[in-house]
Amino acid sequence: MTAVSPLQERIRNQLRAQFFEGIQVGERINEAEIAAILGVSRTPVRRALVQLEREGVVSYEANRGFRLLEASRADAAQGQAVTLSLDETVMRDMALGALDGVISERALLARYNATPGGLTSTLRRLMRDQLAEPSPGRGWIFADVGAAALDDGYRFRQIVEPAAILSDLYEVDRSAMEALDGEHARAIDTMETMDSRRLFELDAKFHLMIAQGARSASLVAAIERQNNIRRVNEYLGFGRRERIRQSLTEHRGIMAAIKAGERQLAAALMRIHLQISREETFVHLEEDLESVRSGRVRIGGEDG
C-alpha cells in the first residue's frame, strides 16, 4: 500500500471533520472547491478521497467523481446513545490524562472500536468546542484539561469575571437575566430530578451571560473556552448536589446585586463564588477521578 503523506492525511482529517458536514448522502464531492478552500492542488485532495474510499466513507464512479456513502452517514448517526457514549468515553480519557501528545485517527478507531463516521462526529464536536484539533499529517491533538489547566482556568476567571462586572458600560439583558434567575430557582427546587448535564449547562449559561455584559467578544470567547475545558472535568463534581445547590444560590445572589445596580457587591460575590468553587473542585478531584475510573460516575451524563 502506498504510504500516506502528511499533507494527504491532513486533508483527509479536514474532509471528515469539516467538509462532509454540509454534504448530503449521495451528493458529489467538489474536489476543485475543496482544493481552493484549502489552498492546495487537486492531486492531494484526490489522494485523500481515494484513501477515504478504501475506508468506505466515499464511493467513486468513473466520469461522476466521488460521492458520500449512505453507510458513512449511517455510521455518524447510529443513535444518540451511541454518539454520547463515544463522546463520553473520549472526554473521560481526556480527564484521566490518557490522550496526551499526537494520536493518529487509526489509533483512535482501534482504541474506541469506533466506526469512522462515529469518530468523525465526536472529533467534529470536540474541534468545535476547541477541545481537539487536527495535527498536520500526524493525527489529532487533544486539549489539556487536567488539574493544572483547571487551576489556571480558575485563576484566570477570578481575574476577569469580577473585572467584567466592573467594566465601563457593563449592561446585561434584564429580561434574559430574569429568565435565567427563574431557571436557577426551579433547578434548586428540583435538584434531585435533574441530570448532571443540565445542571452544568445552567452553570455555564450563567457565566457566559455575565461575560456578555462587558460587550467584549474576546472575553466571551475566553469564557466559552473555559466552559468547554470545565465541561470535561467538572462534570465529575456535579453529583454532589448540595454544592451545586449552594453554587446556584450564589449565582442568584450575584444576579440580584447586578439587577440592583450594586456592581461592586456583585464583583465581590463573584470572586468569592469562584474561590469556593475552586476549593471544592480540588478537595474532591482525586475522589471524583476514581469514581470515573471505576464507572460509578459518567462524564457528560447521569451517574452510573
Side-chain angles (χ1 to χ4, degrees), residues 28-29 31 46 49-50 53 58-60 64-67:
R28 179 176 172 273
I29 297 168
E31 298 174 45
R46 173 170 284 270
L49 287 167
V50 169
E53 181 188 20
V58 302
S59 64
Y60 178 77
R64 299 186 67 183
F66 291 93
R67 297 177 184 276

Side-chain angles (χ1 to χ4, degrees), residues 135-147:
S135 174
R138 299 185 62 190
W140 289 83
I141 300 172
F142 294 86
D144 176 11
V145 296

Side-chain angles (χ1 to χ4, degrees), residues 98-115:
L99 294 178
D100 289 337
V102 180
I103 305 177
S104 71
E105 197 163 311
R106 184 172 300 175
L108 291 169
L109 287 168
R111 180 185 183 95
Y112 298 112
N113 192 28
T115 63

Side-chain angles (χ1 to χ4, degrees), residues 2-296:
T2 304
V4 177
S5 71
L7 176 61
Q8 181 180 325
E9 186 163 346
R10 174 173 67 83
I11 293 171
R12 174 173 161 274
N13 287 341
Q14 289 176 306
L15 284 170
R16 297 181 63 174
Q18 295 173 253
F19 292 98
F20 289 170
E21 183 175 14
I23 299 177
Q24 298 297 318
V25 171
E27 184 177 339
R28 179 176 172 273
I29 297 168
N30 191 324
E31 298 174 45
E33 180 180 322
I34 291 171
I37 292 172
L38 295 179
V40 298
S41 69
R42 291 181 61 174
T43 299
V45 173
R46 173 170 284 270
R47 288 175 178 166
L49 287 167
V50 169
Q51 179 65 26
L52 289 169
E53 181 188 20
R54 295 193 189 103
E55 296 171 11
V57 177
V58 302
S59 64
Y60 178 77
E61 298 178 47
N63 301 319
R64 299 186 67 183
F66 291 93
R67 297 177 184 276
L68 189 65
L69 279 178
E70 179 77 36
S72 172
R73 283 299 173 116
D75 283 347
Q78 287 179 32
Q80 186 178 18
V82 173
T83 299
L84 286 176
S85 177
L86 180 57
D87 287 4
E88 175 186 307
T89 303
V90 174
M91 288 195 295
R92 178 203 65 194
D93 286 354
M94 291 175 70
L96 296 175
L99 294 178
D100 289 337
V102 180
I103 305 177
S104 71
E105 197 163 311
R106 184 172 300 175
L108 291 169
L109 287 168
R111 180 185 183 95
Y112 298 112
N113 192 28
T115 63
L119 180 63
T120 295
S121 295
T122 290
L123 291 173
R124 183 184 297 128
R125 278 185 287 275
L126 291 172
M127 188 166 64
R128 177 200 64 201
D129 291 340
Q130 302 177 60
L131 293 174
E133 60 179 316
S135 174
R138 299 185 62 190
W140 289 83
I141 300 172
F142 294 86
D144 176 11
V145 296
L150 270 180
D151 188 43
D152 182 76
Y154 269 116
R155 288 187 287 109
F156 171 76
R157 292 168 62 212
Q158 280 185 281
I159 294 169
V160 302
E161 291 192 53
I165 295 171
L166 297 175
S167 63
D168 294 342
L169 303 179
Y170 186 84
E171 185 178 1
V172 294
D173 182 327
R174 293 185 67 86
S175 61
M177 183 164 279
E178 290 286 358
L180 183 60
D181 187 53
E183 289 184 63
H184 275 60
R186 289 189 292 276
I188 290 169
D189 289 341
T190 59
M191 180 71 60
E192 300 308 319
T193 64
M194 295 184 70
D195 66 36
S196 299
R197 185 181 300 109
R198 288 180 62 198
L199 289 170
F200 179 86
E201 294 301 339
L202 187 57
D203 178 271
K205 186 176 180 180
F206 165 76
H207 286 283
L208 187 60
M209 178 176 286
I210 294 298
Q212 289 169 337
R215 304 184 186 184
S216 167
S218 296
L219 177 61
V220 169
I223 296 302
E224 287 180 329
R225 166 70 169 157
Q226 289 300 316
N227 280 342
N228 289 331
I229 291 174
R230 293 193 306 123
R231 190 181 306 277
V232 177
N233 254 317
E234 289 196 2
Y235 271 133
L236 308 181
F238 271 70
R240 293 191 298 278
R241 295 305 166 104
E242 282 312 306
R243 169 53 199 156
I244 303 309
R245 191 189 309 276
Q246 178 187 350
S247 179
L248 296 180
T249 301
E250 291 164 10
H251 288 183
R252 296 196 72 196
I254 295 166
M255 287 188 284
I258 290 174
K259 288 185 290 183
E262 299 177 346
R263 290 198 286 148
Q264 289 284 353
L265 175 60
L269 291 174
M270 176 64 82
R271 189 175 294 106
I272 294 168
H273 166 66
L274 291 170
Q275 182 62 32
I276 295 172
S277 296
R278 178 188 178 280
E279 291 172 356
E280 181 75 10
T281 295
F282 284 97
V283 163
H284 296 280
L285 186 58
E286 285 305 316
E287 172 191 341
D288 291 340
L289 289 172
E290 182 55 38
S291 295
V292 172
R293 292 187 189 100
S294 67
R296 294 195 302 274

